Amino acid sequence: MRPGDPNKNHGTKTDAGVANLIEYILISGVLTGLFIVVLLLTNTHFMEMPAKTITYSAYTDISNGISTRIVDIYAIAPANGNITSRFDIPDEVAGQGYLVEVGNLYGEDLSAQTVRISGTTVTANVAIAGIGSTRRAGGNTTGSGMNRISYNSGGFV
């Protein structure tokens, strides 16, 4: 053991410890920032986009089913009289309710009748195939409860 201050000869070499500490803090900060950015983008790309795709597919399937029911009612519609069909569609799609609108939704072409299903972020439009401008279809509903399609030869007021 030598007498005196043990750090006396090492005054210039203490900078290496501080440099390593600063390097560690800077690299950790940059990596933490990148990790936060990746976490924020993961929700959008891996959860929201597939949910929207599945919701659009479900809306399209429901619209096609409603369109088919409307055409079926048209096919068996009596010349004089009424006919009503009750059906059930899913209450929710991807945990959210939705609105169903039927009719001439664009206003320009009177023969263009569509079934539109819209939720909070997704909308699907499907044409009512088969009846064109020969019959007018119109109305709206939601997914909850029992739904019905009615035909009246005298028309609805």
Side-chain angles (χ1 to χ4, degrees), residues 69-70 73-74 77-78 81-87 136-139 147-153 155-156:
R69 286 180 178 95
I70 291 171
I73 291 291
Y74 169 72
N82 302 327
I83 187 169
T84 299
S85 172
R86 294 187 188 276
F87 63 95
R136 300 281 305 195
N147 301 288
R148 71 177 182 174
I149 297 174
S150 297
Y151 170 80
N152 185 340
S153 62
F156 292 99

Side-chain angles (χ1 to χ4, degrees), residues 4-151:
D5 187 8
N7 294 325
K8 184 177 180 183
N9 296 329
H10 302 291
T12 58
K13 296 185 180 181
T14 57
D15 294 343
V18 173
N20 287 339
L21 178 64
I22 291 174
E23 178 183 7
Y24 175 77
I25 291 172
L26 288 176
I27 290 175
S28 297
V30 169
L31 290 177
T32 302
L34 290 174
F35 184 69
I36 290 171
V37 169
V38 167
L39 281 178
L40 293 174
L41 293 177
T42 299
N43 184 39
T44 301
H45 290 290
F46 293 120
M47 295 176 75
E48 289 180 12
M49 295 304 287
K52 286 182 182 180
T53 303
I54 290 171
T55 301
Y56 180 78
S57 296
Y59 285 175
T60 303
D61 290 342
I62 294 168
S63 297
N64 284 327
I66 292 172
S67 174
T68 301
R69 286 180 178 95
I70 291 171
V71 172
D72 289 346
I73 291 291
Y74 169 72
I76 62 172
N80 291 317
N82 302 327
I83 187 169
T84 299
S85 172
R86 294 187 188 276
F87 63 95
D88 192 21
I89 54 179
D91 292 341
E92 295 179 339
V93 173
Q96 297 179 348
Y98 55 91
L99 176 67
V100 179
E101 298 173 286
V102 177
N104 183 6
L105 303 174
Y106 298 110
E108 301 159 357
D109 185 11
L110 294 178
S111 65
Q113 297 185 56
T114 59
V115 177
R116 175 187 298 158
I117 297 186
S118 55
T120 54
T121 58
V122 179
T123 300
N125 293 312
V126 172
I128 299 177
I131 61 174
S133 62
T134 58
R135 299 278 186 217
R136 300 281 305 195
N140 59 25
T141 186
T142 61
S144 61
M146 287 296 289
N147 301 288
R148 71 177 182 174
I149 297 174
S150 297
Y151 170 80

